[in-house]
Amino acid sequence: MNKPLGITVSRHILDSQRLHPQATGELSGLLGELIVAAKTISAEVNMAGLADILGQSGRVNVQGEKVQKLDELANSTFKRRMARCGYLCVMASEEEDEIIPVAEGYEGKYTLAFDPLDGSSNIDVNVSIGTIFSIHRRRSGSGQGNVADLLQKGRNQVAAGYIIYGSSTMLVYTTGEGVHGFTLDPSVGEFYLSHPDIMMPTKSKYYSVNEGNHRYWSEGMRRYIEYVKEEDKATHRPYSARYIGSMVADLHRNLISGGIFLYPRDSKDPAKPAGKLRLLYEAAPFAFIVEQAGGRAITDDGHEILDIEPSDLHQRVPLVIGGRKDVEVAEAFLAGKR
Ligand code: AHG
Ligand code: MN
Ligand code: MN
C-alpha cells in the first residue's frame, strides 16, 4: 500500500481558504510569500557557522553585497521579498526605527510587523533562533500605508506565526482557526503538516524566566517564582526551569510540552520600565498563537495582551504567557492576592 502523501503548507492554506467562499486569496498569497522568505532565512541560518569563515575571505554574495551579520541579513531578506509581494501596504521590523514602505505600485490591503531574528544572542552559539510575524488588515483606504495601520491591537490580527530554526526548521501559524505546525523537509524544500491543531496543556511543570533578574523584580513576582519551586506533589511542584533566551524557542517548547514564560517589568533599567519584549513583534503575535492553542497572555498587572492599543512601534510590554491555569496562578501572585 502507498504511504499517505504529506500535506504541504500551501495545500493546507488553500484548504482553509476554501472554507471561506468570500476569500479573495490575498491572505493565502501573503502567507505563501512569507513562507518563501522563511525558507530563505532558514538556509541563511544554516550557513551561519560559515559566514565568518567565508566573510574573512572578503566574500561578496551574488547581489555584490558584503557578508552581513545574520540578523541584518534576515531583516533585509524579509523586507525585500515582502515589499514586492503585492499584498502589503506597510511594514515594521524590530530592527528598524521607522515604518518600512512597500514598493510603489505593489500596495495591498495588509500590514506586516516582524522580528526577523529573535534570540540573536544565541546565533553565535548554535542555539535555536526564530522569526516572528504579525499581520493586520489596513485601516487606511489605499496607496502606501502609515504608522496607524500598524498600531492596532493584537485582537485585530488576521494571522500570526513564527518560524523556528531548530533541530528542524518549523513554521507555526494561526489565522484564528487553531494553530498548525509544519516541518521543513530540506531535501525538497517543502513544509509538511506535522503538528495539526496544537493545543497547549493548561497546567504544566515548567517555568521559563531569566532568574538572573530576580533582585529587580516586584515582590509578587519573586513570591510566584518561590511558589513554583516549593514542593507539592499534587501540583507537580517544584517545577523545572527551562530558559533558552530565544522567546521563539522557549514558547515553542511551551506550546508543545506546556509551560509558563515570564518577562516581567523590572527595576534594572529605568529607561525600560515595561520589561524587555516588544508588543508588536513579540508579545502580540505570541499572545494570538497561545490563545488559539488554549493558553493565555497577560501583562504582569493583569491586562490581556491582545487588548492593548499600541501607541508606539517599539513599545515594550511586561509579559506572562502560557497555559491558562498556570497564568491564572501567576496573575494572583502578581496582584498580591496570594
Ligand atoms: P531579540 O533577539 O529579537 O532582540 O529578542 C531577544 C528576546 C527574546 O527572544 C528572549 O526571550 C529575551 O530577549 C531574552 O532576554 P534576556 O537575555 O534578558 O533573558
Ligand atoms: Mn525578539
Ligand atoms: Mn530580533
Side-chain angles (χ1 to χ4, degrees):
M1 202 175 84
N2 287 336
K3 266 176 41 182
L5 287 176
I7 299 173
T8 64
V9 65
S10 11
R11 166 89 276 131
H12 194 266
I13 290 170
L14 286 174
D15 286 348
S16 317
Q17 186 192 317
R18 226 169 259 138
L19 300 174
H20 301 273
Q22 76 288 2
T24 59
E26 285 164 274
L27 182 61
S28 303
L30 172 53
L31 292 170
E33 288 292 312
L34 273 170
I35 289 161
V36 179
K39 284 195 268 198
T40 313
I41 297 175
S42 179
E44 288 164 355
V45 167
N46 289 337
M47 290 290 285
L50 290 169
D52 266 352
I53 303 166
L54 302 177
Q56 274 163 11
S57 69
R59 186 181 80 114
V60 286
N61 66 17
V62 279
Q63 281 91 25
E65 297 155 336
K66 291 215 176 77
V67 175
Q68 288 169 289
K69 276 176 60 198
L70 197 58
D71 37 6
E72 288 164 17
L73 186 60
N75 186 51
S76 63
T77 299
F78 222 71
K79 174 169 105 169
R80 285 174 50 199
R81 170 155 294 280
M82 300 317 291
R84 287 179 180 272
C85 73
Y87 305 109
L88 296 173
C89 64
V90 65
M91 295 181 278
S93 162
E94 196 208 56
E95 291 289 326
E96 305 211 9
D97 291 344
E98 308 292 338
I99 56 170
I100 306 166
V102 300
E104 248 169 80
Y106 288 84
E107 296 92 347
K109 69 177 182 196
Y110 294 108
T111 71
L112 173 68
F114 62 98
D115 180 352
L117 264 197
D118 174 73
S120 27
S121 67
N122 282 321
I123 296 172
D124 291 343
V125 290
N126 220 341
V127 171
S128 298
I129 47 183
T131 299
I132 311 168
F133 61 88
S134 163
I135 297 168
H136 280 88
R137 203 167 278 114
R138 71 184 301 168
R139 284 169 154 164
S140 55
S142 59
Q144 290 282 326
N146 56 44
V147 70
D149 288 316
L150 286 155
L151 294 180
Q152 299 193 51
K153 59 182 177 191
R155 191 75 66 199
N156 295 350
Q157 283 170 105
V158 172
Y162 62 87
I163 300 99
I164 177 168
Y165 313 107
S167 46
S168 298
T169 293
M170 272 190 73
L171 163 74
V172 176
Y173 82 96
T174 183
T175 54
E177 291 171 341
V179 181
H180 310 289
F182 303 81
T183 303
L184 182 66
D185 177 344
S187 64
V188 286
E190 273 292 355
F191 280 105
Y192 290 101
L193 182 63
S194 52
H195 297 65
D197 293 312
I198 298 172
M199 288 303 284
M200 70 185 297
T202 56
K203 240 196 103 351
S204 70
K205 44 184 186 180
Y206 296 111
Y207 73 103
S208 326
V209 71
N210 184 342
E211 219 160 338
N213 292 332
H214 182 266
R215 64 165 53 245
Y216 305 110
W217 289 341
S218 69
E219 180 61 23
M221 179 63 194
R222 280 191 228 179
R223 289 189 46 252
Y224 174 64
I225 297 300
E226 277 313 307
Y227 163 85
V228 297
K229 294 191 285 191
E230 282 164 13
E231 190 180 39
D232 175 35
K233 294 214 166 52
T235 49
H236 303 293
R237 287 180 292 146
Y239 280 16
S240 287
R242 294 283 187 277
Y243 191 71
I244 296 168
S246 289
M247 186 192 190
V248 167
D250 277 309
L251 289 185
H252 180 70
R253 182 202 54 244
N254 290 359
L255 265 180
I256 308 286
S257 308
I260 180 163
F261 173 99
L262 306 98
Y263 210 116
R265 76 191 75 203
D266 59 47
S267 59
K268 185 169 53 209
D269 183 352
K272 293 176 190 161
K276 178 175 187 189
L277 300 173
R278 319 259 185 167
L279 177 58
L280 292 190
Y281 318 103
E282 294 169 323
F286 266 112
F288 188 23
I289 295 164
V290 161
E291 273 204 9
Q292 281 291 313
R296 190 169 164 223
I298 58 172
T299 61
D300 61 4
D301 53 354
H303 298 282
E304 301 296 319
I305 295 288
L306 291 180
D307 291 328
I308 301 175
E309 290 279 0
S311 53
D312 184 90
L313 279 184
H314 298 294
Q315 158 175 3
R316 296 173 195 267
V317 70
L319 178 66
V320 178
I321 185 166
R324 225 153 241 288
K325 290 231 168 71
D326 278 329
V327 171
E328 201 176 284
V329 175
E331 186 180 22
F333 274 96
L334 288 162
K337 291 183 186 149
R338 285 184 67 161

